[in-house]
Amino acid sequence: MNRLSRNSFMACLIAIPALAVVWSGRLSADEPKDAPAPTQPPVIVNAADFKTLQAAIDTLPATGGMVRLPAGTFEITEPLRISTAETRIEGAGAATHIKNVNQQGLPAMIVRAPTRETDRRAQLWRVQLGNFRISGNEKSGDGIRAEGIEEIFIQGVSIDHHGGHGISMDLCRENPRVADSMITYNKQAGLHIVGGHDIVVNANHFEENQDAVVCIDSFNLCMNGNNIDDHLRHGVVIENTYGSVVSGNMIEECNGTAVILDRDCYGITLSANVVAHDMGGGIDLRDAHGCAVSANTFTLLHGFSVRVAKDSGRITIGGNNFGNSYMGDGKVRRKLEHADPVQLDIGTGVVLEDAEHVAVTGNSFSGLDGAAVQASGTCKAILVTGNLVTDIHRRPAPGADTTQAFVISPESTVTVQGNLID
């Protein structure tokens, strides 16, 4: 047998034309389609070639692929169902508009394994949704409902005006990620997470949902760089979750509270956020332990900027700035005498209610309505040290003690030392 030299063999390989390994998905929508064999490779499907979006999605084999959605408005009365792993649904940006006109509380899109309804253990891996808009109505359900999807990735999606949550993730345990999306005007939470692990919520806009983000029974939430504005209730609600970080977010003008930690939270850092003009308060530690509140800016907050309740303890509150709208040279943006109480030039500090083991250190308190720190009930082992306090008790409550920067109940055990009060 003749032997080819190495150079001749490589020349033959180069001469072989590249083989197409991806199917274009161009089938007639009128023809019935047999279920693909499990060994069929992933495909690319152009939804413009089909009568409906669902028909295009149903073309995907069990091994997954990509569905490219064209520009246009697509009204749906039933949820779009995605039930294959290793799948990406890709639109043409906001020009691809999926409009849910259903008024019986059904979601616009359901992502789950086909056997999930009868087997809660059924799951899919690596489903990605990107670059399209989903809108609903007051009587529709969630925008996107994902159940048991591991490594789900939602990016560049606009989700608005749903009667349910914008995005609902139920037991999407491994590495769920939501990034660069616009999640607005939904009647329930913008993003609702139950049972997620190693979660990333990054660089999204949340506006005028009921709550922006609700994270329950989870761990390792990494929530950074989001803009949260004008919510009808709360900003971020975290329950029964540990080992998480909420940092670098703008949380403004919620009718309720900016951030709530409740129901056995622990090991969470809330840092470098701007918490501004929220009607129900800033950060409320209702049931949280071993948490740090650091380097945040609290401005124009009603009620309190940080509250530590009786079921919370082992908390560090350090390096934060608590203030009003002071701009120097005696100027403030919002006057005290403004007729609208929502627009008052208001400032609040730290409220401790029967709390234990709390360090309040290295903070700046200025332009506050009342005291810098107020400890009520029976607080134990509280350290207040190294803080700077100026221009407080500007609008004291009737009967309030305006002679002290730190107002401590007689039943509390608080060490106050090394503070500078101007």
Side-chain angles (χ1 to χ4, degrees):
M1 181 171 63
N2 294 331
R3 295 180 179 271
L4 288 174
S5 69
R6 182 176 184 275
N7 289 339
S8 298
F9 178 70
M10 293 303 296
C12 290
L13 286 180
I14 293 171
I16 297 173
L19 297 178
V21 296
V22 177
W23 171 54
S24 69
R26 185 172 293 276
L27 291 176
S28 169
D30 298 327
E31 297 175 0
K33 303 175 184 64
D34 295 331
T39 56
Q40 184 173 341
V43 301
I44 294 179
V45 176
N46 296 311
D49 298 335
F50 295 79
K51 286 186 175 180
T52 66
L53 299 183
Q54 188 64 62
I57 294 168
D58 289 344
T59 302
L60 292 173
T63 46
M66 174 185 282
V67 177
R68 288 177 171 158
L69 306 180
T73 298
F74 304 92
E75 290 193 353
I76 59 172
T77 57
E78 296 286 332
L80 295 176
R81 297 180 182 271
I82 300 163
S83 56
T84 55
E86 316 296 342
T87 292
R88 181 171 180 86
I89 309 298
E90 176 80 23
T96 300
H97 180 190
I98 300 169
K99 186 174 182 180
N100 186 10
V101 298
N102 175 276
Q103 296 193 359
Q104 285 74 49
L106 295 178
M109 184 175 288
I110 297 175
V111 188
R112 66 185 176 202
T115 58
R116 179 80 178 180
E117 292 187 53
T118 56
D119 181 6
R120 289 279 289 172
R121 297 171 298 177
Q123 60 186 23
L124 299 174
W125 281 84
R126 288 172 291 274
V127 175
Q128 300 182 357
L129 308 173
N131 299 320
F132 54 85
R133 177 188 174 195
I134 295 182
S135 71
N137 61 81
E138 291 188 354
K139 296 182 179 180
S140 66
D142 302 332
I144 298 171
R145 179 165 182 79
E147 301 177 10
I149 309 301
E150 314 301 345
E151 297 187 5
I152 186 171
F153 184 19
I154 299 174
Q155 182 182 36
V157 177
S158 295
I159 305 172
D160 58 275
H161 292 95
H162 296 90
H165 305 303
I167 301 172
S168 174
M169 293 184 176
D170 182 19
L171 298 179
C172 297
R173 294 186 181 277
E174 291 297 321
N175 307 341
R177 175 183 287 262
V178 180
D180 303 310
S181 293
M182 305 285 290
I183 305 172
T184 56
Y185 313 113
N186 299 290
K187 290 298 182 182
Q188 297 187 38
L191 173 60
H192 192 271
I193 302 166
V194 178
H197 301 168
D198 307 331
I199 309 155
V200 170
V201 180
N202 185 260
N204 303 285
H205 278 79
F206 296 91
E207 184 165 2
E208 288 195 43
N209 307 287
Q210 183 183 43
D211 306 315
V213 176
V214 176
C215 183
I216 299 173
D217 302 341
S218 299
F219 65 76
N220 296 1
L221 167 66
C222 184
M223 181 174 175
N224 315 109
N226 300 280
N227 194 295
I228 296 171
D229 185 38
D230 291 346
H231 281 75
L232 304 182
R233 191 167 64 178
H234 306 307
V236 181
V237 180
I238 301 174
E239 297 183 5
N240 191 31
T241 294
Y242 87 97
S244 299
V245 58
V246 178
S247 68
N249 301 286
M250 176 72 218
I251 310 174
E252 182 193 24
E253 293 195 354
C254 299
N255 283 331
T257 303
V259 180
I260 295 172
L261 302 190
D262 201 0
R263 204 162 57 83
D264 296 330
C265 286
Y266 67 97
I268 295 176
T269 292
L270 309 172
S271 182
N273 301 287
V274 174
V275 183
H277 205 212
D278 297 290
M279 304 302 111
I283 291 176
D284 193 0
L285 306 181
R286 297 180 181 179
D287 185 356
H289 289 81
C291 296
V293 179
S294 65
N296 301 283
T297 299
F298 298 98
T299 184
L300 297 172
L301 291 165
H302 293 241
F304 58 85
S305 289
V306 178
R307 185 177 83 108
V308 185
K310 65 186 180 82
D311 291 325
S312 297
R314 305 183 182 186
I315 303 296
T316 300
I317 303 171
N320 303 282
N321 192 292
F322 300 82
N324 60 335
S325 65
Y326 181 73
M327 297 177 289
D329 297 326
K331 296 184 295 183
V332 294
R333 185 166 298 279
R334 291 170 174 162
K335 301 295 185 181
L336 285 172
E337 63 272 16
H338 198 291
D340 182 359
V342 172
Q343 301 298 327
L344 288 175
D345 179 58
I346 195 168
T348 54
V350 174
V351 173
L352 309 175
E353 298 176 354
D354 295 308
E356 296 185 359
H357 304 101
V358 179
V360 182
T361 62
N363 302 284
S364 175
F365 298 93
S366 61
L368 307 189
D369 285 25
V373 178
Q374 181 170 331
S376 62
T378 305
C379 295
K380 299 178 181 178
I382 308 298
L383 176 64
V384 180
T385 182
N387 299 286
L388 173 63
V389 183
T390 186
D391 187 23
I392 61 173
H393 293 299
R394 299 170 68 239
R395 296 173 63 238
D401 183 354
T402 60
T403 64
Q404 302 295 322
F406 311 109
V407 177
I408 312 300
S409 67
E411 300 82 11
S412 294
T413 305
V414 179
T415 298
V416 179
Q417 62 184 25
N419 301 286
L420 177 58
I421 303 172
D422 181 10

